[in-house]
Each structure stands twice: as C-alpha cells, then as structure tokens.
C-alpha cells in the first residue's frame, strides 16, 4: 500500500498563499534508498497553463504525479498546491486525476459510477443526475452505454469514463497520466479537443503522454524529465529556429522538370537531400527561413509543388535532442 504524506510544512501566518503547483527539490527512492525515482526535482506549474511531461520510460513521470496526488511520500523536498500539501482535504477538492492504470467497481454501471463519485465529492444531490450526464456527454460516451455494467466497457470507453470522473467536483487542477491510452483515433481527437476547451475554461493541466503531437498541440510549456530530474523546460509559444526535415511533393505529370532540376535548385538551400524520386523528395533545411527560400526557388522555377510537410514535429526533435544530452 502506498505511503501517504504525513508531514505538513508550517507556513507563516502572514505568508501570502501562492496559487499554482510548486515542487521544490523533491527526492523519492524505493527499496530503502537503493532505487532513486526522483532526484532533486523542482518544477512550477502556473495557474491556467497546460504543462506537458515528456521523457523515456522510467524517467519518473508517473512517480511525480503520484507524489503530487499524495499517494507516495517523498523522501525530501516539498510540494505545495495553492499553499497546501497534496493530501490535505482542501487540496483534494481542487484536483482531478486520471491515472494511467484505471481501476473501477466493475459491477457498477457508468451512470452509477459517476453518481457515486459525485456524492463522494460532496456535490449537491439536486443536480447529481444532470451534472453526471453533462460530463458523460462531454467525453462523448454514448448514452446507450450509461446503463451498461462497467465490466462490459472497452478500454477506450473506460478511459472516457475515467476522464469524466476526473472532472467531477469541478476541479481547478487536472493531473492526467496518459489520458488517451487505449483510445481509437476518434477518441484521441476528442481528448485533444476537450483538453483545449478545459484550458480555455481556466483549468490548470499537467499532462503526461507519450503522444508528443497531443502535447505539442495542447501545452504551453513542456518539461523534459530524465533520470528523475527536469532536464529542460521548453516554452512552446517561443519560436525557435532549428533544422527542419521536409517531404516535398509535386505534380510530375504536369511538368517537364525532373529529378535533376529539383536537385539543382534544392542543393542551394538544403543541408541535405536524403531521398529524391519522380514526384517527391525528402530534404532537410537549416531553419524555417531556409525552408521558405527553398519553396520560393522551386515555385519560381515553375515546379508544380502540391505538398510541403514536416517529417517530424518540433517536440519530436526536442525529445531526441534532450534524450541525447548527458548520455
């Protein structure tokens, strides 16, 4: 059974309570200190922002979430959520949580499960039915499944039910551990749109996901974890210039220009031409500015370009570079 936090930091009476999540120099070990899961990790999550957690398996992401929820006792350091420790009752009222490994009372129906947690959260009985139905609709769980026993739910349906339950009680903070795990593509899109809407509604979101495109499209900042520490933090609103890997396609049947013509034009602007064929090429440029110059040159030469897309995303490249650092 996980150990609960049992130590309370003493705040001076005149100390103003700072809104947000503040993780200061925390360490968490297992097996009597032999296995270090978190090592002097510090992190701030600002009110209203969505922060993503990225890192390889074993980097400490799920352990960090468990410590933030008060499921695990840290060895040293401090965690404060709006000035309170994670397992304080006032904190519990502020936080919604979707774990990576879902556990349900499988004999319950989806509707019963939601209403049970609605009551546990101390929400008014007069709005219980409507509140729960609104949340089930919000995660797009079909009404035909609400009266179905949870044991009959698919993995994706369970994930949606868990997301809906995390929103019971109208939390201020939402901690999500692989929220789209086991979902089909339509479910992934639903989760992504829901996260954007919740962020617009003012919720503070901490998102752990291996789906880098989801994090890139939702999060304001991304923390890269490695060996239990924050390796770097990236502000996704700050544009950076870096190498771009592109796939370029053109309408070969509408032009007399060929592979040699493309190579002659592209080599002036490209760092590398990795592959070239009758109607497409894979190239790399030094920056977005170099990409623009390349496309302008191709268009000026009457190349009938019909597609230019990135072969990878900014976050994928940052993840690869972050994983290499210090290795």
């Amino acid at each position: 059974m996980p150990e609960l936090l049992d130590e309370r930091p003493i705040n001076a009476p005149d100390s103003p309570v700072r809104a947000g999540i503040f993780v200061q120099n925390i360490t968490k070990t297992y097996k009597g200190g032999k296995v270090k899961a978190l090592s002097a990790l510090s992190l701030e999550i600002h009110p209203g922002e969505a922060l993503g957690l990225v890192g390889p398996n074993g980097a400490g992401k799920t352990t960090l979430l468990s410590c933030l929820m008060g499921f695990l006792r840290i060895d040293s350091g401090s965690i404060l959520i709006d000035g309170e420790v994670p397992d304080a009752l006032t904190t519990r009222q502020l936080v919604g949580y979707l774990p990576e490994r879902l556990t349900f009372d499988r004999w319950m129906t989806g509707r019963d499960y939601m209403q049970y947690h609605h009551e546990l959260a101390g929400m008014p009985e007069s709005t219980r039915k409507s509140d729960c139905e609104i949340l089930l609709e919000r995660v797009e769980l079909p009404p035909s499944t609400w009266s179905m026993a949870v044991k009959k739910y698919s993995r994706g349906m369970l994930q949606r039910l868990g997301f809906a339950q995390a929103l019971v009680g109208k939390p201020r903070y939402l901690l999500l551990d692989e929220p789209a795990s086991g979902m089909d593509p339509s479910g992934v899109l639903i989760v992504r749109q829901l996260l954007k809407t919740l962020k617009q509604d003012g919720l503070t979101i901490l998102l752990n996901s291996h789906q880098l495109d989801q994090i890139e499209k939702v999060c304001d900042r991304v923390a890269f974890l490695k060996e239990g520490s924050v390796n770097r933090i990236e502000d996704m609103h700050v544009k950076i210039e870096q190498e771009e890997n592109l796939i370029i396609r053109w309408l070969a049947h509408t032009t007399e220009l060929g592979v040699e013509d493309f190579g002659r034009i592209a080599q002036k602007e490209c760092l590398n031409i990795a592959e070239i064929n009758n109607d497409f090429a894979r190239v790399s440029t030094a920056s977005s500015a170099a990409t623009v110059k390349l496309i302008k040159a191709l268009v000026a030469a009457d190349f009938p370009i019909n597609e230019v897309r990135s072969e990878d995303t900014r976050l994928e490249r940052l993840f690869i570079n972050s994983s290499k650092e210090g290795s």
Side-chain angles (χ1 to χ4, degrees):
M1 179 178 295
E3 299 171 293
L4 295 177
L5 290 168
D6 60 3
E7 296 180 359
R8 305 285 194 276
I10 299 174
N11 297 319
D14 57 349
S15 297
V17 174
R18 290 191 298 167
I21 298 176
F22 298 89
V23 180
Q24 184 63 41
N25 206 35
I26 66 170
T27 298
K28 173 61 186 173
T29 60
Y30 298 104
K31 296 184 179 180
K34 295 180 181 178
V35 177
K36 184 172 288 188
L38 300 176
S39 177
L41 186 149
S42 295
L43 186 65
E44 292 186 11
I45 306 170
H46 309 138
E49 81 166 331
L51 186 139
L53 293 179
V54 170
N57 291 334
K61 303 183 297 296
T62 295
T63 297
L64 173 60
L65 287 172
S66 296
C67 291
L68 289 171
M69 287 300 299
F71 299 153
L72 296 175
R73 177 166 53 190
I74 57 178
D75 298 349
S76 60
S78 66
I79 299 174
L80 292 176
I81 301 177
D82 280 7
E84 296 285 351
V85 293
D87 65 334
L89 291 179
T90 51
T91 304
R92 299 288 193 201
Q93 294 173 333
L94 300 175
V95 180
Y97 174 58
L98 178 60
E100 180 181 16
R101 297 177 179 85
L102 298 168
T103 302
F104 295 92
D105 297 300
R106 298 178 64 80
W107 57 270
M108 282 186 171
T109 67
R111 187 195 301 273
D112 289 341
Y113 181 80
M114 288 293 293
Q115 292 184 355
Y116 172 64
H117 282 276
H118 191 276
E119 184 173 359
L120 285 178
M123 303 299 286
E125 184 178 359
S126 59
T127 61
R128 183 155 298 146
K129 183 175 182 294
S130 60
D131 286 350
C132 292
E133 289 181 353
I134 288 171
L135 291 175
L136 290 171
E137 289 173 350
R138 198 166 192 186
V139 299
E140 298 192 28
L141 194 62
S144 60
T145 67
W146 298 355
S147 298
M148 185 187 299
V150 170
K151 64 183 178 183
K152 297 181 180 179
Y153 278 22
S154 67
R155 180 71 173 88
M157 291 165 63
L158 291 173
Q159 203 71 21
R160 295 190 195 197
L161 181 62
F163 204 132
Q165 186 272 320
L167 297 175
V168 169
K170 300 178 181 178
R172 186 180 303 170
Y173 298 96
L174 196 56
L175 309 185
L176 305 171
D177 200 355
E178 298 291 353
S181 176
M183 286 189 172
D184 59 19
S186 64
V188 173
L189 292 175
I190 289 169
V191 168
R192 182 182 301 164
Q193 185 55 51
L194 181 56
L195 289 173
K196 290 181 179 179
T197 302
L198 292 170
K199 184 172 174 293
Q200 291 171 358
D201 291 343
L203 267 71
T204 303
I205 299 171
L206 180 60
L207 172 62
N208 173 32
S209 176
H210 285 117
Q211 297 178 346
L212 298 183
D213 60 331
Q214 183 180 73
I215 285 184
E216 184 161 356
K217 291 175 180 177
V218 170
C219 294
D220 302 295
R221 294 188 301 144
V222 178
F224 293 81
L225 268 62
K226 185 176 182 180
E227 297 179 354
S229 297
V230 176
N231 183 264
R232 64 185 292 176
I233 294 180
E234 191 73 22
D235 187 336
M236 301 305 293
H237 297 299
V238 175
K239 184 173 178 58
I240 61 172
E241 288 293 348
Q242 60 180 348
E243 182 177 325
E244 295 188 349
N245 301 312
L246 307 170
I247 292 179
I248 302 175
R249 296 186 184 275
W250 59 91
L251 301 175
H253 64 280
T254 66
T255 181
E256 296 180 356
L257 298 172
V259 171
E260 291 184 0
D261 299 296
F262 181 93
R264 174 177 49 79
I265 298 167
Q267 67 180 356
K268 297 178 182 179
E269 310 297 344
C270 290
L271 292 175
N272 178 50
I273 301 176
E275 182 181 358
I276 188 169
N277 211 317
N278 183 49
D279 60 355
F280 84 97
R282 293 174 54 243
V283 305
S284 61
T285 62
S287 64
S288 57
T291 296
V292 171
K293 289 179 66 177
L294 170 63
I295 302 307
K296 283 184 176 180
L298 290 169
V299 171
D302 291 330
F303 250 90
I305 304 296
N306 71 331
E307 181 185 13
V308 179
R309 64 179 175 86
S310 178
E311 196 169 14
D312 49 19
T313 67
R314 168 183 173 179
L315 200 52
E316 287 172 340
R317 294 191 291 274
L318 289 172
F319 176 76
I320 293 171
N321 293 334
S322 181
S323 298
K324 291 178 179 178
E325 290 176 4
S327 61

